[in-house]
């Protein structure tokens, strides 16, 4: 793991073990296996909060980091390179697919411009010196100062979310071309070949995929030359949005606040966050498995299993927002359990077992 000196992050606190056990005891009051995959989420929320008493229903917030990527100029996306601004504006104004999903669960959205080519009136929160990621097949994504500013912007965004009452965070990127640096970082982290790590992204044809794979190959070469330090990987082959998301996830863990990881960009950022803030993986909830070859490989690095296999590729937190209603329903059911009830059980009853060993 990387030395935390370079990011000056405080240690990540452990979950409250007593609260986790208390949540498990409450779950034992309903039929065995009733909560399914949500049992571990309930235990995590209780351990992060420090108590299984009282309403456990979380207050989620989506924070989106917007940036352009010069590599998009190679025509490696099905979306025109200038559409990052439109996506950001729509989401900031509460319109579009992701915004509708957020509204369905009452999830507030925060937006931070960490690297759009031009300021956007709809997104007034723009960091000083914001600029797009460089064309990573030829030059570094950003310099050390820009990297530090982006990571700090992510940390500040996590602090703001927690300080305003959020206790379940979703972090996402918004920018055309982001899947190219994500592929390069995925290959660097997993030792996948560039052609295996390179996806169709937003839905590109063979010619665009060939251009993209070549860019990933060249970017990967530059990332490997920079060494295995997580921050250097982001500086050389990432982008300000990915750096901010990494800082966001790391700081959320420092604040004992769970984060929903929902796609390949957020999963790559989670791996890097855990490396700069050891223990950050404790606070992760993986909502779904993305239909990209690299996603299971990166999840293996975290040791986490996705809650669903819904094969969603949407940007801006869509994967997390789709799963959120089920999560909230499970938490609501947990909060409704009569703590004084004692289920009738025979002497032959057991609490857990491995069905694959029957």
């Amino acid at each position: 793991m990387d030395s935390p000196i370079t990011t000056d992050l405080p240690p990540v606190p452990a979950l409250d073990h007593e609260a986790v056990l208390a949540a498990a005891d409450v779950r034992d009051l309903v039929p065995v296996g009733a909560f399914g995959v949500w049992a571990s989420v309930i235990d995590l929320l209780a351990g992060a909060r420090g108590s299984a008493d009282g309403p456990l229903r979380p207050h989620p917030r989506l924070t989106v980091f917007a940036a352009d990527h010069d590599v998009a100029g190679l025509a490696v996306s099905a979306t025109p390179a200038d559409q990052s601004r439109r996506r950001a504006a729509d989401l900031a104004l509460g319109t579009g697919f992701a915004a509708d999903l957020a509204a369905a669960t009452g999830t507030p959205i925060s937006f931070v411009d960490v690297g759009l080519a031009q300021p956007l009136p709809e997104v007034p929160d723009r960091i000083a010196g914001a600029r797009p990621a460089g064309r990573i097949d030829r030059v570094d994504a950003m310099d050390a100062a820009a990297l530090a500013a982006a990571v700090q912007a992510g940390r500040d965004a996590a602090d703001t979310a927690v300080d305003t009452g959020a206790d379940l965070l979703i972090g996402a990127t918004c920018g055309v071309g982001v899947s190219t640096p994500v592929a390069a970082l995925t290959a660097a982290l997993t030792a996948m070949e560039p052609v295996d790590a390179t996806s169709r992204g937003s839905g590109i044809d063979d010619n665009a995929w060939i251009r993209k794979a070549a860019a990933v190959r060249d970017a990967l070469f530059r990332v490997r030359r920079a060494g295995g330090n997580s921050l250097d990987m982001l500086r050389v082959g990432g982008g300000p949005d990915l750096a901010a998301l990494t800082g966001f996830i790391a700081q959320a863990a420092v604040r004992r606040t769970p984060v929903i990881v929902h796609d390949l960009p957020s999963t790559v950022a989670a791996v890097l966050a855990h490396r700069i803030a050891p223990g950050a993986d404790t606070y992760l909830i993986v909502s779904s498995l993305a239909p990209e070859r690299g996603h299971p490989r990166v999840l293996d690095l975290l040791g986490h299993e996705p809650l669903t296999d819904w094969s969603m590729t949407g940007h801006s937190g869509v994967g997390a927002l789709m799963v959120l209603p089920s999560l909230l329903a499970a938490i609501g059911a947990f909060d409704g359990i009569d703590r004084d009830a004692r289920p009738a059980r025979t002497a032959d009853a057991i609490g857990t077992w491995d069905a694959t060993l029957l």
Side-chain angles (χ1 to χ4, degrees):
M1 293 184 182
D2 293 1
S3 168
I5 297 174
T6 53
T7 50
D8 195 29
L9 280 161
V12 173
L15 295 174
D16 187 317
H17 185 59
E18 294 300 323
V20 172
L21 293 177
D25 288 341
V26 174
R27 290 192 289 102
D28 285 344
L29 299 175
V30 299
V32 175
F35 283 103
V37 297
W38 301 111
S40 62
V41 176
I42 291 169
D43 294 351
L44 169 58
L45 293 176
R49 184 173 295 184
S51 173
D53 298 328
L56 198 60
R57 180 184 173 91
H59 303 87
R61 175 176 286 274
L62 168 63
T63 300
V64 181
F65 301 100
D68 282 307
H69 291 262
D70 286 351
V71 74
L74 295 175
V76 295
S77 174
T79 304
D82 62 357
Q83 289 299 293
S84 296
R85 287 170 53 83
R86 182 192 60 77
R87 285 181 177 179
D90 286 349
L91 191 56
L93 293 173
T95 60
F97 187 41
D100 290 342
L101 289 174
T105 55
T107 301
I109 303 175
S110 301
F111 224 102
V112 184
D113 175 1
V114 292
L116 290 174
Q118 298 294 332
L120 196 61
E122 294 85 352
V123 185
D125 189 359
R126 178 178 170 90
I127 66 172
R131 64 178 66 88
R135 188 177 145 180
I136 57 172
D137 60 327
R138 293 186 175 181
V139 299
D140 292 348
M142 52 194 153
D143 60 24
L147 170 67
V151 172
Q152 188 60 50
R155 295 181 62 188
D156 291 344
D159 281 337
T160 298
V162 174
D163 291 342
T164 54
D167 51 11
L168 178 61
L169 306 186
I170 305 168
T173 61
C174 177
V176 176
V178 70
S179 66
T180 300
V182 167
L185 294 175
T186 296
L189 289 168
T190 65
M192 293 177 69
E193 291 295 326
V195 293
D196 293 325
T198 303
S199 71
R200 298 273 177 175
S202 51
I204 52 177
D205 63 16
D206 289 348
N207 289 331
W209 181 88
I210 291 170
R211 291 192 295 271
K212 182 177 179 180
V216 170
R217 176 201 63 206
D218 294 344
L220 176 61
F221 175 76
R222 302 186 73 261
V223 169
R224 285 175 172 166
R225 286 185 61 186
N229 180 281
S230 297
L231 295 179
D232 282 335
M233 292 172 69
L234 286 165
R235 177 181 59 79
V236 175
D241 45 359
L242 296 170
L245 185 52
T246 298
F248 179 82
I249 295 171
Q251 185 66 18
V254 169
R255 298 293 302 270
R256 279 182 66 167
T257 304
V259 177
I260 300 180
V261 173
H262 51 89
D263 59 4
L264 192 49
S266 61
T267 308
V268 166
V271 170
L272 297 174
H274 174 57
R275 292 187 175 187
I276 65 174
D281 61 331
T282 306
Y283 291 88
L284 300 177
I285 300 169
V286 182
S287 63
S288 55
L289 184 67
E292 296 170 278
R293 288 188 296 269
H295 200 209
R297 296 283 295 274
V298 179
L299 285 176
D300 285 344
L301 299 177
L302 288 173
H304 281 260
E305 293 289 333
L307 296 171
T308 71
D309 187 5
W310 289 354
S311 297
M312 290 176 291
T313 59
H315 54 82
S316 302
V318 164
L321 294 170
M322 278 283 197
V323 171
L324 197 53
S326 295
L327 185 155
L328 295 176
I331 299 299
F334 175 84
D335 287 339
I337 295 175
D338 182 359
R339 267 59 168 177
D340 296 323
R342 288 296 176 265
R345 303 277 281 169
T346 70
D348 302 310
I350 59 176
T352 59
W353 66 90
D354 187 342
T356 63
L357 299 180
L358 292 180

